[in-house]
Amino acid sequence: MPLFTLSTAASCGGRRLRLAAALLAAAAACAPAGAAQIVAANLTRLIGQSDLIVSGKVKDVTDGIDAKGVAYTEVTIAVGASAKKKLAARSDFKFRQYGLQKARKMPDGRFLVARAPEGFPTWTKDEQVVAFLYKRATRTGLRTTVGLTQGKFVAHGGRLANEQGNQGLFKGVQVDPGRLSASESALLRGPAGAVDAATLMGLVNRAVAGRWIETGVMR
C-alpha cells in the first residue's frame, strides 16, 4: 500500500518533582533554545532513525498529566498508510509527545507550565500529515518525530513540507545510480520548498521496502 494518500485522510512529591526535572532536562537536550539549533536531519536520517512512518489525518489532539506526573500531548491520527511497522488503514493511531499544549491551572490555584519545549512539533486537528516517529521511550512511553519539527510534514495541494520548508532535507543524500526515477533524481537535486507528495513518499516507500539504508544503497 502506498505510504501517502491525500484522500485518507498543586504540589508534587519529591519523586514527581525529580521526574519532571529529569524530563525537562532531557527535552532541553533534544530541543535547544532556538529552532535554528536543532541538529539537521536529512531524508536519510529521517528514514533510518524512525521506528514508524505514518501518514494520515490528525483526528484529535488532547493533553494531560499521567499517573506519574508526566505532562503530555496525545495525538490521534486516522491512518492512511504506514511504513516500517504496519498499521491498519483507516485505524486510529495514537501517540504521546512530551509537554502540554498550554499552561494548566492546578487544584491549588497555581499554574503548571509544562508546555512542549521549543522545537517540538505542534499538531492541529484535521491537518494531513506524514510523521517520521522515533521509538517510544521505555520509561515514559513518550515519543516524537525524528529531528523534531523536521520529521513532521504537512500536505497542502498535493505537496509536502516540514516547518523548515524542507531546508536541508536532501542535503548530503546519496543514492546508488540507476535506483532513482527521473522525478526522484530531480527531487533530490531541487531547491528547498514544498515537494510533490507522491514523488517523495514513493521514494520513501522504496527505500524502506528495499532496505536501502541498511544495505548502503541510500546514504
Side-chain angles (χ1 to χ4, degrees), residues 70-89:
V70 179
Y72 65 84
T73 291
E74 183 174 271
V75 181
T76 303
I77 296 176
V79 176
S82 59
K84 287 207 163 182
K85 291 186 175 178
K86 185 172 178 58
L87 302 175

Side-chain angles (χ1 to χ4, degrees), residues 96-119:
R96 289 182 175 182
Q97 177 179 280
Y98 175 75
L100 300 173
Q101 298 182 79
K102 59 183 178 181
R104 174 172 298 211
K105 193 172 184 178
M106 303 301 290
D108 66 356
R110 292 186 296 173
F111 279 89
L112 174 64
V113 184
R115 299 187 64 180
E118 184 179 357

Side-chain angles (χ1 to χ4, degrees), residues 34-216:
Q37 297 175 335
I38 295 173
V39 176
N42 65 12
L43 185 61
T44 302
R45 181 182 169 199
L46 293 183
I47 297 171
Q49 295 190 3
S50 60
D51 175 66
L52 167 68
I53 307 169
V54 58
S55 72
K57 187 177 183 179
V58 176
K59 188 174 180 179
D60 199 14
V61 184
T62 60
D63 63 9
I65 302 168
D66 70 14
K68 295 181 179 180
V70 179
Y72 65 84
T73 291
E74 183 174 271
V75 181
T76 303
I77 296 176
V79 176
S82 59
K84 287 207 163 182
K85 291 186 175 178
K86 185 172 178 58
L87 302 175
R90 296 182 294 280
S91 66
D92 287 348
F93 169 71
K94 296 183 179 182
F95 70 94
R96 289 182 175 182
Q97 177 179 280
Y98 175 75
L100 300 173
Q101 298 182 79
K102 59 183 178 181
R104 174 172 298 211
K105 193 172 184 178
M106 303 301 290
D108 66 356
R110 292 186 296 173
F111 279 89
L112 174 64
V113 184
R115 299 187 64 180
E118 184 179 357
F120 273 47
T122 57
W123 305 86
T124 304
K125 185 178 179 180
D126 293 332
E127 65 183 352
Q128 185 82 28
V129 300
V130 175
F132 293 74
L133 291 162
Y134 281 121
K135 186 176 181 180
R136 292 172 69 245
T138 302
R139 184 177 180 186
T140 64
L142 301 177
R143 71 200 308 172
T144 190
T145 45
V146 179
L148 302 179
T149 53
Q150 297 169 96
K152 179 209 171 185
F153 294 78
V154 179
H156 293 288
R159 301 181 72 78
L160 287 171
N162 59 23
E163 191 173 301
Q164 283 72 36
N166 295 342
Q167 187 70 42
L169 180 61
F170 305 118
K171 184 177 181 180
V173 175
Q174 300 179 52
V175 180
D176 284 357
R179 297 294 186 115
L180 299 175
S181 67
S183 59
E184 290 168 345
S185 294
L187 182 77
L188 296 184
R189 295 194 306 267
V195 297
D196 180 71
T199 302
L200 176 61
M201 300 319 298
L203 175 59
V204 170
N205 273 327
R206 296 202 299 122
V208 171
R211 296 177 56 84
W212 285 5
I213 294 175
E214 294 87 339
T215 58

